[in-house]
Coordinates of all heavy atoms in Angstrom, one line a residue:
R1 N 94.3 4.3 29.5 CA 94.3 3.0 28.8 C 95.5 2.9 27.9 O 96.2 3.8 27.6 CB 93.0 2.8 28.0 CG 91.8 2.8 28.9 CD 90.5 2.4 28.1 NE 89.3 2.4 28.9 CZ 88.9 1.4 29.6 NH1 89.6 0.3 29.6 NH2 87.8 1.4 30.3
G2 N 95.7 1.6 27.4 CA 96.9 1.3 26.6 C 97.2 2.3 25.4 O 98.3 2.8 25.3
P3 N 96.2 2.6 24.6 CA 96.4 3.5 23.4 C 97.0 4.9 23.8 O 97.8 5.4 23.2 CB 95.1 3.6 22.7 CG 94.4 2.3 23.1 CD 94.8 2.0 24.5
M4 N 96.4 5.4 25.0 CA 96.9 6.7 25.4 C 98.4 6.6 25.9 O 99.2 7.5 25.7 CB 96.0 7.2 26.5 CG 94.6 7.5 26.1 SD 93.6 8.1 27.5 CE 94.4 9.6 27.9
V5 N 98.7 5.5 26.5 CA 100.1 5.3 27.1 C 101.1 5.2 25.9 O 102.1 5.8 25.9 CB 100.1 4.1 27.9 CG1 101.6 3.7 28.3 CG2 99.3 4.3 29.2
T6 N 100.7 4.4 24.9 CA 101.6 4.3 23.8 C 101.8 5.6 23.0 O 102.9 5.9 22.5 CB 101.2 3.1 22.8 OG1 99.8 3.4 22.4 CG2 101.2 1.8 23.6
Q7 N 100.7 6.3 22.9 CA 100.8 7.6 22.2 C 101.7 8.6 23.0 O 102.5 9.3 22.4 CB 99.4 8.2 22.0 CG 99.4 9.5 21.2 CD 98.0 10.1 21.1 OE1 97.0 9.6 21.6 NE2 97.9 11.2 20.3
A8 N 101.6 8.5 24.3 CA 102.4 9.4 25.1 C 103.9 9.0 25.0 O 104.7 9.9 24.9 CB 102.0 9.2 26.6
L9 N 104.2 7.8 24.9 CA 105.6 7.3 24.7 C 106.1 7.9 23.4 O 107.2 8.4 23.3 CB 105.7 5.8 24.7 CG 107.0 5.2 24.3 CD1 108.1 5.7 25.3 CD2 107.0 3.7 24.2
Q10 N 105.3 7.7 22.3 CA 105.8 8.2 21.0 C 106.0 9.7 21.0 O 106.9 10.2 20.3 CB 104.8 7.7 19.9 CG 104.8 6.2 19.7 CD 103.8 5.8 18.6 OE1 104.1 6.0 17.4 NE2 102.7 5.3 19.0
Q11 N 105.1 10.4 21.7 CA 105.3 11.9 21.7 C 106.5 12.3 22.5 O 107.2 13.2 22.1 CB 104.0 12.5 22.3 CG 102.8 12.5 21.4 CD 101.6 13.2 22.0 OE1 101.3 13.0 23.1 NE2 101.0 14.0 21.2
L12 N 106.7 11.6 23.6 CA 107.9 11.9 24.4 C 109.2 11.7 23.6 O 110.2 12.5 23.7 CB 108.0 11.0 25.7 CG 107.0 11.4 26.8 CD1 107.1 10.3 27.9 CD2 107.2 12.8 27.4
L13 N 109.2 10.7 22.8 CA 110.4 10.4 22.0 C 110.5 11.3 20.8 O 111.5 11.9 20.5 CB 110.3 8.9 21.5 CG 111.4 8.4 20.6 CD1 112.8 8.5 21.3 CD2 111.2 7.0 20.1
N14 N 109.4 11.4 20.0 CA 109.5 12.1 18.7 C 109.4 13.6 18.8 O 109.8 14.3 17.9 CB 108.4 11.6 17.8 CG 108.6 10.1 17.4 OD1 109.7 9.7 17.0 ND2 107.6 9.3 17.5
D15 N 108.7 14.1 19.9 CA 108.5 15.5 20.1 C 109.6 16.2 20.9 O 109.5 17.4 21.3 CB 107.2 15.9 20.6 CG 106.0 15.5 19.7 OD1 106.3 15.2 18.5 OD2 104.9 15.5 20.1
T16 N 110.6 15.4 21.3 CA 111.8 16.0 22.0 C 112.9 16.3 21.1 O 113.2 15.5 20.2 CB 112.2 15.0 23.1 OG1 111.2 14.7 24.0 CG2 113.4 15.6 23.9
N17 N 113.5 17.5 21.2 CA 114.6 17.9 20.4 C 115.9 17.3 20.9 O 116.8 18.0 21.4 CB 114.7 19.4 20.3 CG 113.5 20.0 19.6 OD1 113.0 19.5 18.6 ND2 113.0 21.2 20.1
W18 N 116.1 16.0 20.7 CA 117.3 15.4 21.1 C 118.5 15.9 20.2 O 118.3 16.1 19.0 CB 117.2 13.8 20.8 CG 116.1 13.2 21.5 CD1 114.9 12.8 21.0 CD2 116.0 12.9 22.9 NE1 114.1 12.2 21.9 CE2 114.7 12.3 23.1 CE3 116.8 13.1 24.0 CZ2 114.3 11.8 24.4 CZ3 116.4 12.7 25.3 CH2 115.1 12.1 25.4
K19 N 119.6 16.2 20.9 CA 120.7 16.9 20.2 C 121.9 15.9 20.1 O 122.6 15.8 21.0 CB 121.1 18.1 21.0 CG 119.9 19.2 21.1 CD 120.2 20.3 22.0 CE 119.1 21.3 22.0 NZ 117.8 20.7 22.5
D20 N 122.1 15.4 18.9 CA 123.2 14.6 18.5 C 123.5 13.5 19.6 O 124.7 13.4 20.1 CB 124.4 15.5 18.3 CG 125.6 14.8 17.6 OD1 125.3 13.8 16.8 OD2 126.8 15.1 17.8
V21 N 122.5 12.7 19.9 CA 122.7 11.7 20.9 C 123.4 10.5 20.3 O 122.9 9.9 19.3 CB 121.3 11.3 21.5 CG1 121.4 10.1 22.4 CG2 120.7 12.5 22.3
D22 N 124.5 10.1 20.9 CA 125.1 8.8 20.5 C 124.3 7.6 20.9 O 124.2 6.6 20.2 CB 126.6 8.7 21.0 CG 127.5 9.8 20.5 OD1 127.4 10.1 19.3 OD2 128.2 10.4 21.3
Y23 N 123.9 7.6 22.2 CA 123.1 6.5 22.8 C 121.9 7.1 23.5 O 122.1 7.9 24.4 CB 124.0 5.7 23.7 CG 125.2 5.2 23.1 CD1 126.4 5.8 23.4 CD2 125.2 4.0 22.3 CE1 127.6 5.3 22.8 CE2 126.4 3.5 21.8 CZ 127.6 4.2 22.0 OH 128.8 3.7 21.5
L24 N 120.7 6.7 23.2 CA 119.5 7.0 24.0 C 119.2 5.8 24.8 O 118.8 4.7 24.2 CB 118.4 7.4 23.1 CG 117.1 7.7 23.9 CD1 117.2 9.0 24.7 CD2 115.9 7.8 22.9
I25 N 119.2 5.8 26.1 CA 118.8 4.8 27.0 C 117.3 4.9 27.2 O 116.8 5.9 27.6 CB 119.6 4.8 28.3 CG1 121.1 4.7 28.1 CG2 119.1 3.7 29.2 CD1 121.6 3.4 27.5
V26 N 116.6 3.8 26.9 CA 115.1 3.8 27.2 C 114.9 2.9 28.4 O 115.1 1.7 28.4 CB 114.3 3.3 26.0 CG1 112.8 3.3 26.3 CG2 114.6 4.2 24.8
D27 N 114.5 3.6 29.5 CA 114.1 2.8 30.7 C 112.7 2.3 30.6 O 111.7 3.0 30.7 CB 114.2 3.8 31.9 CG 113.9 3.1 33.2 OD1 113.8 1.9 33.3 OD2 113.7 3.8 34.2
M28 N 112.6 1.0 30.3 CA 111.3 0.4 30.0 C 110.6 0.0 31.3 O 111.2 -0.3 32.3 CB 111.6 -0.9 29.2 CG 112.3 -0.7 27.9 SD 111.2 0.1 26.7 CE 109.9 -1.1 26.5
P29 N 109.2 0.0 31.2 CA 108.4 -0.5 32.3 C 108.6 -2.0 32.4 O 108.9 -2.6 31.4 CB 107.0 -0.1 32.0 CG 107.0 0.0 30.5 CD 108.4 0.5 30.1
P30 N 108.3 -2.6 33.5 CA 108.4 -4.1 33.6 C 107.3 -4.7 32.7 O 106.2 -4.1 32.4 CB 108.2 -4.4 35.1 CG 107.5 -3.2 35.6 CD 107.9 -2.0 34.8
G31 N 107.5 -6.0 32.3 CA 106.5 -6.7 31.6 C 106.7 -6.8 30.1 O 107.7 -6.3 29.6
T32 N 105.6 -7.3 29.4 CA 105.7 -7.4 28.0 C 104.4 -6.9 27.4 O 103.7 -7.6 26.6 CB 106.0 -8.8 27.5 OG1 105.0 -9.7 28.2 CG2 107.3 -9.3 27.9
G33 N 104.0 -5.7 27.7 CA 102.7 -5.2 27.3 C 102.7 -4.2 26.2 O 103.6 -4.2 25.3
D34 N 101.8 -3.2 26.3 CA 101.6 -2.2 25.2 C 102.9 -1.4 24.9 O 103.2 -1.2 23.7 CB 100.5 -1.2 25.5 CG 99.1 -1.9 25.5 OD1 99.0 -2.8 24.7 OD2 98.3 -1.5 26.3
I35 N 103.6 -0.9 25.9 CA 104.8 -0.1 25.7 C 105.8 -0.9 25.0 O 106.5 -0.4 24.0 CB 105.3 0.4 27.1 CG1 104.4 1.4 27.7 CG2 106.7 0.9 26.9 CD1 104.4 2.8 27.1
Q36 N 106.0 -2.2 25.4 CA 107.0 -3.0 24.8 C 106.7 -3.3 23.3 O 107.6 -3.3 22.4 CB 107.2 -4.3 25.5 CG 107.9 -4.2 26.9 CD 107.0 -3.7 28.0 OE1 105.8 -3.4 27.8 NE2 107.6 -3.5 29.1
L37 N 105.4 -3.5 23.0 CA 105.0 -3.7 21.7 C 105.2 -2.5 20.8 O 105.7 -2.6 19.6 CB 103.5 -4.2 21.7 CG 103.0 -4.7 20.3 CD1 103.8 -6.0 19.9 CD2 101.5 -5.1 20.5
T38 N 104.9 -1.3 21.3 CA 105.1 -0.1 20.6 C 106.6 0.1 20.3 O 107.0 0.5 19.2 CB 104.5 1.1 21.4 OG1 103.1 1.0 21.5 CG2 104.8 2.4 20.6
L39 N 107.4 -0.2 21.3 CA 108.8 0.0 21.1 C 109.3 -0.9 20.0 O 110.1 -0.5 19.2 CB 109.5 -0.4 22.4 CG 111.0 -0.1 22.4 CD1 111.4 1.3 23.0 CD2 111.8 -1.2 23.2
A40 N 108.8 -2.1 20.0 CA 109.3 -3.1 19.0 C 108.8 -2.8 17.6 O 109.5 -3.1 16.6 CB 108.8 -4.5 19.4
Q41 N 107.6 -2.2 17.5 CA 107.0 -2.0 16.1 C 107.3 -0.6 15.5 O 107.4 -0.5 14.3 CB 105.5 -2.2 16.2 CG 105.1 -3.6 16.5 CD 103.6 -3.8 16.6 OE1 102.9 -2.8 16.9 NE2 103.1 -5.0 16.4
K42 N 107.5 0.4 16.4 CA 107.5 1.8 15.8 C 108.8 2.6 16.2 O 109.0 3.7 15.7 CB 106.3 2.5 16.3 CG 105.0 1.9 15.8 CD 103.8 2.7 16.2 CE 102.5 2.1 15.6 NZ 101.3 2.9 16.0
I43 N 109.6 2.1 17.1 CA 110.8 2.8 17.6 C 112.0 2.1 17.2 O 112.2 0.9 17.4 CB 110.7 3.0 19.1 CG1 109.5 3.9 19.5 CG2 112.0 3.6 19.6 CD1 109.3 4.0 21.0
P44 N 113.0 2.7 16.5 CA 114.2 2.1 16.0 C 115.2 1.7 17.2 O 115.9 2.6 17.7 CB 114.8 3.1 15.1 CG 114.4 4.4 15.7 CD 113.0 4.2 16.2
V45 N 115.2 0.4 17.6 CA 116.0 0.0 18.7 C 117.2 -0.7 18.2 O 117.1 -1.7 17.4 CB 115.1 -0.9 19.6 CG1 116.0 -1.4 20.8 CG2 113.9 -0.2 20.1
T46 N 118.4 -0.3 18.6 CA 119.6 -0.9 18.2 C 119.8 -2.3 18.9 O 120.3 -3.2 18.4 CB 120.8 0.0 18.5 OG1 120.5 1.3 18.0 CG2 122.1 -0.5 17.9
G47 N 119.4 -2.3 20.2 CA 119.6 -3.5 21.0 C 119.0 -3.4 22.4 O 118.6 -2.2 22.8
A48 N 118.8 -4.5 23.0 CA 118.1 -4.5 24.4 C 119.1 -5.1 25.4 O 119.8 -6.0 25.1 CB 116.8 -5.3 24.3

């Protein structure tokens, strides 16, 4: 369900030891659902 999916996304992002990344490309799923809302509210996005 949606809450599990959004939690998984946040864990993949925040629990990964990214090393001095200049640009992180986020390959989004299609649509405007839970993942997109989580991205907009909780993930620092420079641009789309």
Side-chain angles (χ1 to χ4, degrees):
R1 294 188 182 276
M4 294 178 67
V5 172
T6 56
Q7 184 179 4
L9 172 64
Q10 292 180 76
Q11 286 183 315
L12 287 175
L13 177 63
N14 295 311
D15 293 349
T16 299
N17 292 323
W18 304 103
K19 298 173 179 63
D20 193 28
V21 171
D22 295 317
Y23 305 99
L24 178 71
I25 302 294
V26 180
D27 180 14
M28 300 292 295
T32 53
D34 290 328
I35 290 285
Q36 287 79 3
L37 191 60
T38 297
L39 186 95
Q41 293 179 335
K42 298 183 179 180
I43 295 174
V45 181
T46 311

